[in-house]
Amino acid sequence: LFTRLIYMILIWFMISFASTIIGVLAVLQFIIMLVNNKQPNERLAELGTDVGIWVAKATRYQTAGSEVKPWPWTELD
């Protein structure tokens, strides 16, 4: 159980960082859409999706909904 606590603390910091990344991506995407005639950047959109999937997996581990640790301990889907 102590090992799980260590992982939970590490993942908590990673989730906080991911939240910052999502905010930066959102601002960048908005600026790109302003400049690019309302067209989003597909690569940024895909990166946002990947980060969102990771956060969902991390949240499931944090709340004991899953025993599978998120990336970097397992593959990123």
Side-chain angles (χ1 to χ4, degrees), residues 64-75:
S66 172
E67 293 300 315
V68 178
K69 292 179 222 51
W71 179 89
W73 297 279
T74 58
E75 290 293 319

Side-chain angles (χ1 to χ4, degrees), residues 1 15 17 28 31-32 38 52 54 65 74:
L1 200 56
I15 288 173
F17 182 71
L28 284 174
I31 292 169
I32 288 170
K38 299 182 183 177
W54 182 86
T74 58

Side-chain angles (χ1 to χ4, degrees), residues 9-46:
I9 291 169
L10 287 171
I11 293 169
W12 174 53
F13 283 113
M14 293 169 74
I15 288 173
S16 296
F17 182 71
S19 178
T20 301
I21 295 297
I22 290 170
V24 169
L25 290 175
V27 170
L28 284 174
Q29 189 71 289
F30 182 77
I31 292 169
I32 288 170
M33 290 174 69
L34 278 175
V35 173
N36 202 18
N37 200 21
K38 299 182 183 177
Q39 295 298 315
N41 181 293
E42 293 299 321
R43 288 177 27 201
L44 279 181
E46 289 175 20

